[in-house]
Amino acid sequence: MINFEIDGKPVSVPKNGTVMDGANQLGIYIPHFCYHKKLSIAANCRMCLVQVEKAPKPLPACATPAMEGMKVFTHSGQAVTAQKGVMEFLLINHPLDCPICDQGGECQLQDLAVGYGASSSRYTETKRVVANKNLGPLISTDMTRCIHCTRCVRFGQEIAGIMELGMVGRGEHSEILAFVGKTVDSELSGNVIDLCPVGALVSKPFRYSARTWELSRRKSISPHCGLGSNLIVQIKQNRVMRVLPRENEEINECWLSDKDRFSYEGLNSEERLTRPMIKQGGVWQECDWQTALEFVANGLKDVKEKYGAESIGALGSAHSTLEELYLLQKLVRGLGSASVDHRVRQSDFRADSQMQGAPWLGMPIAEISQLKSLLVIGSTLRKDHPLLAHRIRQAVKHGAELNVINPIDDDLLTKVRNRAIVAPDKMVSMLAEVLKAIAELKGVEIPDDAKNALSTVSASDTARAIAISLSDNKPAAIFIGNLAQHHPRYTDICKLAQHIAQISDVRFGVLGEAANSVGAYIAGAVPFGNRFGNRNADTAGDRHGGQGANASQMLGMDDAASGTGCKAYILLNLEPELDCYNTQRAVRTLAAADLVVMMTAYKSHAAIQDNYADVLLPIAPFTETSGTFVSTEGRVQSFNGVVAPLGETRPAWKVLRVLGNILQLDGFDYETSEQVRGDVLPAGNDVSAWLNSRLGSLAVNPIEAGKENKGSEGLQRIGEVPIYQADLIVRRAESLQRTRDAAAPLAWMSGSLMAQLGLQTEEVIRLKQEEGEVQLPVAQDDKLPANCIRIASAHPSTAALGGMFDQITVEKS
Amino acid sequence: MLSEQERREIEAHARHYPNNRAVCIEALKIVQQHRGWVSNEGIADVAEALQMKPAELESVATFYNMIFRKPVGKHVILLCDSVSCWIMGYERLRQHLGDRLGIRPGQTTADGRFTLLPNVCLGACDHAPVMMVDEAHYQDLDPARIDEILASYQQEEEKSTDGNAAHS
């Protein structure tokens, strides 16, 4: 530690610490622009000049290493004169157009100009003007205002992992731009808006819509990815105007992904459902709540009488709150059915009987940056978990080895030590090879339940390299990504990964797909009763044999259980034509039901057009209700509504409560969402006892057999969920929908497959799965494994297709 | 696409440096040597070869004024534009060069023969005013000397168009 003095106050910083570090520790503010605690030191704005005893000139606090016995003065005559001098230079070319600048009122330059600027300029020459750049639909530019701090450039290099903005030219001619004709496409790009200390980079969707002092700041939690990013939601006249990050070092640090930041546009979408709607005689009509709820209650009662309680099923999205999902399952179980699920994109439920707890990350998010080796299995990491990918990038920067087993080879913007890019149906055998390799390496027996399956497997060099990486570098972790969770052999993947983790003694986790993926298990929104979580477990499910139908069975997606769909469905926060593993069958199954109740914030186009729904109940999105999300690291985060519900929208937990009352079910007399939460969570909200990704004893299926084989003779689809199609809100966020990441799906395949099928790039082909067919242009990606076609799911243009990883056929059109 | 020759030369330099990024200035110079200037395509080519982002390479290329990001003439005239030369008659030389070539600093003659660029200090203040044409240094200049120099380039070119040895 180095001891020195700032403004007469003693302080000590670690070796290599700077004067700025010391000042931050003491809470002494030194004016600055280019310095940012999360970015490298540039020392190019010179605003942080301070006086240092015995130094002949003022020194920049951000770049001056602290030295033993140093005496620093931040507000002395010399320091302030220097700072004022710098400010005068900074303002030479700055347009001072604050009245028409979006940054006005939250601008570091404006604030500091008040403290350090002169009341008028001595500069009489013309100011320079810099042309604005088109950086895409999210970031608006006014480059004349730029003071060249290069925060945005360093953010790209150091945090986003891709340098999209650069500073070109020198001196007077310097300017910030993206390379010729490029836009800023990073999924973390919005952070440069926060970083920009002036109004050069501002939010395009928010531009000219409000002043910062007109907005109220309310705390909230992101409902999108499983991270549980902390948000500040800013509102004006009961309308969400924008979303900013709320700093939480353990979760999102000071960052937000673009999905979290810009999705709010979906909250104000014209597609919002504001009154209940009922379909009568094939015609949709708006109605009041009383009518709608009675219609639902009578419908459910009818179905129960006619077909039995088991024919009622409920599906809730894991983007719903803990309270909503708890009441949903309570309602269904109260009616006597155990068919409730949230895993609509999962296709392999073999492990259900052996789950030991809610699958979770297996470690705190913050510790990811400290890992020394990782194995990520089946994930579009950057798109599914943008900030988790950033944590992993930081880990790799500090020497961690990243290993990947994936059917796709998208650029992770970081070094990958070993990559096994294999067709989905080869992922299991790749994992088996790694297990074999690690067992040989450690000289241990292959666990009994995998012994049979592994008898014919021999480890490849890649598998051995992955095994060595995991066993030689500690701490290490294995993460199961979204693609693997949707995989037709999820159980085997999970089981093999778990064995590898156990033998190599590393952490094992499942990356939560949605904000409440962990919470959904804890709330009991699963068909196998309440073996974990859910303190006051409602045992109705168990009374009725314990086991209800899972999502796949309910929606007719499970081959073995075809024709077993329910007669009545309650859908919470879901668009089945986009949100399911096999959207084609889901829609067909729902259309055959007697009653489909959709609790949704939106007039889902397909629900109305495809005519599978019977009732639409307008429920509040996360900004209009209180609730709780349990993040992928098992963190319980509750939030309040930040605006009043739109129109006649009601919080879903209240709707379910009233429905419970109308149906005269017990235990639906909640007055607040906190009471609901109290029924689910233990005192202190510590859910750690219920978190466990491990599976009990369960034999791994023979490596080359199983469900996937039906696809192995032909072409296999790789159906990932595009980043801006993952949930209902983001689908309606207009600006995000104009980004490159939201481009319409293409049929991606390798050049050799194109040659084999006689196809050209951009040629429109017909793609068929089961009875569904779509037409898409061909695109080439030589990194894809042989015999695979990558076609995004969760998109209207591919909704007619079938399973995300099933066989697919191609025809020229 | 980098030519085989360019690729070989860049790889030869790469051996002297600890990492790819450190080679980028040399690589840009090599591309410029072969193509006369560094186009957007040239930036993209070098970026790909060195596994750098075009934005980063662009920052480097535009920082150094000896990397030309716009097409230049056959010969590049760098006229020293700094204090010593100012004192010793820079203004008269600039005027004269401009009149003779019919262009202003930053421009290229219509026949594509000369590009005139101001350059801050060529490092020969004791012999100011100074200019460079391509690799050759000319000092203690006056208008008459400049005419001689320009004429010599003209002659050389005429020779080479007569089918003699190529311009060096």
Side-chain angles (χ1 to χ4, degrees), chain A residues 464-494:
Chain A
R464 237 175 262 127
I466 293 173
I468 291 169
S469 173
L470 285 173
S471 88
D472 285 2
N473 302 286
K474 294 286 154 54
I478 300 177
F479 294 129
I480 307 249
N482 294 5
L483 289 181
Q485 291 166 51
H486 306 151
H487 194 281
R489 289 184 70 181
Y490 173 43
T491 308
D492 291 332
I493 291 177
C494 219

Side-chain angles (χ1 to χ4, degrees), chain A residues 366-642:
Chain A
E367 283 176 23
I368 290 179
S369 348
Q370 280 130 46
L371 290 172
K372 289 293 168 216
S373 177
L374 296 102
L375 171 59
V376 177
I377 303 163
S379 176
T380 50
L381 197 59
R382 273 174 58 204
K383 304 302 170 190
D384 288 338
H385 311 280
L387 284 174
L388 218 64
H390 145 67
R391 292 264 189 191
I392 292 177
R393 258 196 309 273
Q394 299 309 312
V396 173
K397 204 179 271 179
H398 293 113
E401 295 182 354
L402 173 60
N403 306 287
V404 176
I405 297 178
N406 223 2
I408 53 165
D409 191 14
D410 290 350
D411 192 351
L412 293 173
L413 303 179
T414 187
K415 258 187 275 173
V416 178
R417 179 72 171 211
N418 300 295
R419 73 181 87 216
I421 306 303
V422 294
D425 62 0
K426 294 284 182 294
M427 284 172 67
V428 178
S429 61
M430 192 64 220
L431 272 169
E433 289 181 27
V434 177
L435 175 56
K436 189 110 182 179
I438 193 83
E440 283 169 7
L441 194 70
K442 295 276 181 187
V444 297
E445 282 277 298
I446 291 180
D448 283 342
D449 52 14
K451 217 172 237 170
N452 254 339
L454 259 67
S455 56
T456 56
V457 171
S458 60
S460 61
D461 290 344
T462 315
R464 237 175 262 127
I466 293 173
I468 291 169
S469 173
L470 285 173
S471 88
D472 285 2
N473 302 286
K474 294 286 154 54
I478 300 177
F479 294 129
I480 307 249
N482 294 5
L483 289 181
Q485 291 166 51
H486 306 151
H487 194 281
R489 289 184 70 181
Y490 173 43
T491 308
D492 291 332
I493 291 177
C494 219
K495 192 75 202 178
L496 289 167
Q498 181 188 320
H499 282 320
I500 297 168
Q502 212 145 20
I503 294 176
S504 51
D505 188 24
V506 303
R507 312 267 202 138
F508 170 68
V510 175
L511 303 179
E513 186 181 347
N516 207 19
S517 285
V518 172
Y521 279 95
I522 290 174
V526 276
F528 42 87
N530 303 296
R531 284 198 314 274
F532 46 86
N534 208 337
R535 193 161 54 95
N536 293 334
D538 186 300
T539 52
D542 298 320
R543 276 205 307 275
H544 294 265
Q547 194 74 21
N550 59 43
S552 186
Q553 292 161 338
M554 275 189 261
L555 291 172
M557 301 188 292
D558 186 343
D559 280 341
S562 59
T564 59
C566 303
K567 292 291 176 194
Y569 293 89
I570 307 173
L571 305 176
L572 172 65
N573 212 354
L574 272 181
E575 289 179 302
E577 70 280 5
L578 301 175
D579 285 329
C580 299
Y581 178 79
N582 187 329
T583 45
Q584 178 190 141
R585 286 206 208 171
V587 171
R588 208 186 310 141
T589 310
L590 288 172
D594 285 13
L595 175 70
V596 176
V597 181
M598 285 185 75
M599 299 176 65
T600 173
Y602 299 96
K603 277 179 217 161
S604 285
H605 192 62
I608 294 175
Q609 204 180 32
D610 294 357
N611 251 348
Y612 59 72
D614 298 290
V615 190
L616 299 181
L617 302 177
I619 58 157
F622 78 107
T623 42
E624 298 168 22
T625 178
S626 54
T628 304
F629 291 136
V630 186
S631 78
T632 187
E633 63 171 344
R635 183 186 293 261
V636 176
Q637 299 188 105
S638 293
F639 52 91
N640 290 319
V642 297

Side-chain angles (χ1 to χ4, degrees), chain B residues 80-100:
Chain B
C80 183
D81 182 12
S82 193
V83 179
S84 305
C85 290
W86 293 349
I87 295 168
M88 299 301 288
Y90 156 83
E91 193 54 44
R92 198 157 51 108
L93 293 188
R94 197 192 61 165
Q95 195 71 45
H96 185 73
L97 263 174
D99 290 348
R100 280 296 312 275

